[in-house]
Amino acid sequence: MIPTRFLFISLCFLIFIACQKDDSANTPKSTESAKSFEAMNTFMSLKSFGTDPEKANDAVEALIANIETQISTTKEGSYIYKLNHLNEGEEKSVETPAQIANLISFSLSIAKETDGAFNPTLFPIIHLWGFTTEKYRVPSDTEIKEALTATDFNKVSLSYQNNNSAIVTMKNGMMMDMGAIGKGFAGDQAIQLLKEKEITSAIMDLGGNVQTLGCKPDGNPWKVGITNPWGDAPIGGIAICNKAVITSGGYERYFEENGKRYIHIFDSKTGKPVDNDLASVTIIAESGMYADALSTTLFVMGKEKAIDFYKKNHEKFQMILVMNDKTLVYTEGLQDILTITYPVKKKAIIKN
Ligand code: AMP
Ligand code: MG
């Protein structure tokens, strides 16, 4: 026989479930869903919170795959591939959707603003050093000089046809590469899509580019680790909501020859891999595309010029420079949100 006490507890439980059901009929319940996948030659993962996070995450995966087919330098159908492989007359042109033209236009404006430290037409140089084929080699000065003649980003022009498309034109022989900005661009699109899908908070790691939507569901900031160039344990963490945290580091891709390391980030003036005293540059900004462009650019500029650039643009971003001598230089906006857990020398910089 079932004891009365048990019947009573069961009845209370049923009433509780019934009430819950009634409640959820009015207010959709927020749930969590995580997903990982490979895209843009890297491993990506995201975690979203909302009414249907699984569907939203699937949509993000499809969106990023689509962006890759449009801007990849290696996928034959992409607009960038088509433009790079045209070879006729003095100039070559490709019509792209406005969104891709906007990406190219943004990359050209950063190139102009930074006097070419950021250069979206460096592909001939990157290819010459073998970073596009993994057949790495140190080219001769004559080869570098020759390849540099095809890297003048001022020779790229855009003509918008209407709100939907634009014609991108550049000198024959030139080639583009969105490698320094593409993941940030994809991250911004993904955040936009998550908002449209009524996701209230999310965190994405697009191959080391971290982008967040909102704060954590409990209202606390997300804690994003800063990669350690010398080991596995992060250098520290940064507490943020609604921001991108994007790092460029020489340790990410390089080859070595005769004891010298050649990294994947290039100085567009010399046509050679950057060789300065920076181990990594992390940028914290609202836009992933901007943070991605700047992490590469400020790495190219080196510490002093990066600090000057920050002083002129301090309202737009914050940064962490990890120096090879294990000094950490960080901007004043990070003082209260950066926790350092690795033994480094700390140096805060102020904007004036
Ligand atoms: P990131 O990891 O975002 O710093 O981007 C590095 C990638 O950007 C490289 O693998 C190259 O494809 C490309 N790149 C290298 N140097 C430059 C540069 N000075 N300006 C623009 N893109 C670059
Ligand atoms: Mg970048």
Side-chain angles (χ1 to χ4, degrees):
M1 205 178 100
I2 305 169
T4 333
R5 203 166 138 258
F6 180 79
L7 278 175
F8 178 73
I9 291 171
S10 301
L11 191 66
C12 289
F13 182 69
L14 282 176
I15 291 168
F16 175 73
I17 294 284
C19 292
Q20 288 278 94
K21 265 195 172 162
D22 268 349
D23 254 10
S24 62
N26 297 332
T27 357
K29 210 164 167 261
S30 180
T31 54
E32 166 186 349
S33 182
K35 174 159 204 145
S36 344
F37 53 92
E38 272 184 54
M40 299 179 134
N41 295 323
T42 189
F43 187 74
M44 302 190 167
S45 61
L46 77 151
K47 197 197 272 187
S48 307
F49 299 79
T51 44
D52 195 349
E54 204 176 324
K55 201 165 155 195
N57 289 352
D58 288 347
V60 166
E61 182 182 3
L63 172 90
I64 293 177
N66 185 41
I67 291 174
E68 186 180 2
T69 63
Q70 296 184 311
I71 66 170
S72 159
T73 50
T74 52
K75 292 204 184 296
E76 292 195 10
S78 93
Y79 297 106
I80 301 292
Y81 185 97
K82 279 192 218 153
L83 189 57
N84 287 354
H85 290 83
L86 276 175
N87 181 20
E88 46 195 47
E90 277 279 295
E91 285 188 331
K92 50 183 180 176
S93 302
V94 156
E95 185 165 1
T96 73
Q99 207 187 32
I100 303 303
N102 293 346
L103 168 69
I104 295 173
S105 167
F106 181 79
S107 75
L108 293 170
S109 69
I110 295 282
K112 286 183 183 121
E113 188 185 350
T114 63
D115 191 26
F118 183 89
N119 185 342
T121 62
L122 265 192
F123 193 82
I125 287 290
I126 296 161
H127 184 66
L128 185 65
W129 287 79
F131 280 93
T132 55
T133 52
E134 294 187 10
K135 291 183 186 133
Y136 302 111
R137 72 183 183 98
V138 179
S140 71
D141 285 349
T142 317
E143 287 174 292
I144 294 173
K145 213 172 149 198
E146 168 68 24
L148 277 176
T149 62
T151 62
D152 181 359
F153 58 85
N154 290 306
K155 302 265 161 56
V156 184
S157 61
L158 282 154
S159 150
Y160 282 83
Q161 301 302 295
N162 44 50
N163 285 338
N164 303 322
S165 73
I167 310 270
V168 185
T169 304
M170 63 190 188
K171 240 179 88 187
N172 206 355
M174 293 181 74
M175 292 176 124
M176 272 199 189
D177 169 26
M178 294 293 126
I181 193 175
K183 281 189 282 168
F185 169 73
D188 287 346
Q189 307 290 319
I191 294 281
Q192 189 52 40
L193 182 62
L194 289 172
K195 282 185 193 163
E196 283 161 23
K197 302 269 174 206
E198 291 175 5
I199 294 300
T200 46
S201 50
I203 185 159
M204 300 188 278
D205 183 343
L206 311 183
N209 279 22
V210 177
Q211 292 198 225
T212 60
L213 166 62
C215 303
K216 289 202 301 194
D218 65 7
N220 286 316
W222 300 101
K223 193 89 184 273
V224 179
I226 307 298
T227 306
N228 182 342
W230 306 284
D232 290 337
I235 283 206
I238 187 150
I240 44 107
C241 298
N242 275 317
K243 292 260 181 337
V245 180
I246 296 185
T247 301
S248 286
Y251 56 85
E252 285 169 343
R253 259 181 92 197
Y254 61 85
F255 71 96
E256 282 173 337
E257 203 175 285
N258 297 328
K260 188 165 166 49
R261 181 178 285 199
Y262 299 95
I263 68 164
H264 69 131
I265 300 172
F266 283 80
D267 181 330
S268 65
K269 300 270 187 298
T270 63
K272 293 182 179 171
V274 172
D275 183 13
N276 59 24
D277 49 3
L278 284 169
S280 72
V281 174
T282 298
I283 303 290
I284 299 97
E286 249 155 59
S287 152
M289 178 164 73
Y290 185 63
D292 202 356
L294 285 199
S295 66
T296 313
T297 310
L298 300 200
F299 194 101
V300 175
M301 287 179 172
K303 182 181 146 195
E304 302 308 329
K305 283 191 180 163
I307 292 175
D308 286 348
F309 188 88
Y310 167 73
K311 288 183 174 173
K312 283 185 202 129
N313 296 280
H314 59 85
E315 76 291 351
K316 293 193 201 151
F317 72 96
Q318 299 296 323
M319 69 178 183
I320 304 168
L321 309 179
V322 180
M323 312 301 297
N324 283 328
D325 70 358
K326 299 201 173 165
T327 305
L328 206 76
V329 178
Y330 58 94
T331 52
E332 60 180 351
L334 300 178
Q335 306 214 53
D336 297 334
I337 57 171
L338 176 67
T339 316
I340 301 164
T341 44
Y342 192 73
V344 284
K345 286 170 263 165
K346 288 177 265 176
K347 206 172 160 227
I349 54 164
I350 47 168
K351 61 181 180 277
N352 292 313

